[in-house]
Amino acid sequence: MRPGTRIVLGVSGGIAAYKAVEVCRQLVDAGAHVSPVLTEDALRFVGALTFSALASEPARTSLWDGPDLIPHTRLGQRADLIVIAPATARVIAKYAAGISDDLLTATLLATRAPVVVCPAMHTEMWEHPSVQDNLATLRARGVHIVDPESGRLAGGDEGTGRLADPARIVAAIDAVLGPGDLDGVHVVVTAGGTREPIDPVRFIGNRSSGKQGHALADEAAGRGARVTLITTSERAASAGVDARRVETAAEMEAAVLDVAADADVVIMAAAVADFRPKASAAQKIKKAEGVPEVVLEATTDILAELGRRKRPGQVLVGFAAETDDVRAQAADKLRRKRLDLIVANDVTAPGAGFSHDTNEVVILGADGLEQNVGLRDKRGVAREVLDVVVPLLRRTGA
Ligand code: CTP
């Protein structure tokens, strides 16, 4: 399994819910980012706390009680895969019928990710035509079913209906995920805004939050890439991302140039300062000293430098945060900095740009590509950008 793969683990209310704890643990051990979602009935068999303690984030149990206003769409859109283990006859029926009356079934309808259903129930229920018909419907829609095993069931009965062994479930998930389209590719991503010190407590900064760069790093890792993330942000990177923290443009320059020669793809999503104070005071500047005069000097344009050093086959992606004449300004940067792609956004558009969770961009290519990406979460934008990068890599044979 690729590190950071986002898996929603749905647990419904059957006695086998206790085995889902082991599925959760094995997925986390394999490097996945696991978000547990428990139905109300599941809570009769296992505690949410058990999953919260083992998973990558606290277990969710309701559409209404969490901090998110719309948890099902966030979970569904971000997931690389959803697995339901155990899946009761009831959850299977609801999913087949499109009923979305709790967080788990709503998440199932709000996703385009592959879904793995692991039924567990008594033999009579398993063999009931309604259950089999519902499973046939799901199969026909491309849902993957991990058939239950035969053995001892609750109450001492023997027969088919026992939840598949956790290792088998994890193997089935691995098979569904398959190799990523960035397997074996080294991607370098920069994120966040640099801080240029005036003195030990003051700096010149910008509004970049690092969210878009981190989303790119997470998405690339989820698709199999080896990712080096050079970031000014404190936010956590997903497992498998080699995150290196920097603060100033000079530190970012050194860190990027150190790894760029080996990179197949470099994505400069960071907002690098164009100017920095020529000198930074060793001690805090006091008001009593009067208003300081801060003399600025230019920083290195890292992206332009990468353009000069670019080796054949390397794909270079820039970002252009603009406030006016977005396309023309971005197209100009694409040419000047010798890029393959530039991701341009109008940071004044509603819901786009700095610190928002969403973004709306246009991707311009040196080959004439012009692709509008409407408003979506930053992971979704990352997905679109990498969808454009992958064929470029194939074309250049990197
Ligand atoms: N960039 C960089 N190094 C810098 C400044 C910017 O690598 N010192 C990169 C950013 O990471 C981003 C792109 O260049 O990918 C954005 O360029 P920008 O600074 O907006 O363009 P400029 O050429 O500086 O043009 P402008 O005068 O419009 O700011």
Side-chain angles (χ1 to χ4, degrees), residues 46-283:
V46 280
L49 196 58
T50 311
F51 285 90
S52 296
L54 290 170
S56 317
E57 53 184 72
R60 291 182 177 80
T61 56
S62 160
L63 266 167
W64 315 112
D65 300 339
D68 286 346
L69 283 180
I70 41 171
H72 57 298
T73 52
R74 286 169 67 84
L75 282 167
Q77 286 167 352
R78 286 184 179 180
D80 295 312
L81 183 140
I82 298 182
V83 55
I84 315 176
T88 58
R90 174 168 146 165
V91 91
I92 290 167
K94 287 206 287 184
Y95 185 25
I99 295 170
S100 55
D101 61 353
D102 62 9
L103 179 56
L104 177 56
T105 47
T107 304
L108 283 168
L109 295 198
T111 195
R112 297 201 173 111
V115 176
V116 176
V117 169
C118 310
M121 62 198 77
H122 248 70
T123 312
E124 294 81 353
M125 293 174 80
W126 168 247
E127 289 175 352
H128 197 282
S130 67
V131 173
Q132 289 303 321
D133 284 355
N134 286 332
L135 286 170
T137 301
L138 294 181
R139 257 191 215 102
R141 290 182 194 151
V143 173
H144 306 267
I145 313 292
V146 181
D147 281 343
E149 294 170 0
S150 184
R152 203 155 66 87
L153 301 169
D157 292 344
E158 290 271 337
T160 304
R162 204 163 76 157
L163 182 70
D165 186 68
R168 234 186 91 213
I169 294 173
V170 173
I173 290 169
D174 256 332
V176 170
L177 287 169
D181 56 4
L182 288 171
D183 261 355
V185 174
H186 182 198
V187 178
V188 173
V189 182
T190 64
T194 60
R195 294 176 165 197
E196 310 301 328
I198 295 171
D199 68 17
V201 296
R202 303 181 179 93
F203 59 85
I204 299 177
N206 60 65
R207 294 185 188 279
S208 172
S209 64
K211 285 180 184 169
Q212 186 61 72
H214 278 245
L216 279 156
D218 290 348
E219 175 67 15
R223 291 162 73 152
R226 174 162 73 87
V227 181
T228 312
L229 172 66
I230 295 156
T231 179
T232 64
S233 163
E234 294 297 326
R235 68 186 61 249
S238 63
V241 170
D242 175 10
R244 304 182 187 182
R245 313 274 161 197
V246 295
E247 189 164 298
T248 63
E251 286 168 12
M252 184 165 280
E253 177 190 353
V256 170
L257 296 183
D258 183 42
V259 289
D262 175 61
D264 302 302
V265 182
V266 184
I267 306 177
M268 285 289 304
V272 187
D274 290 320
F275 313 104
R276 67 172 155 242
K278 204 163 184 170
S280 101
Q283 261 90 41

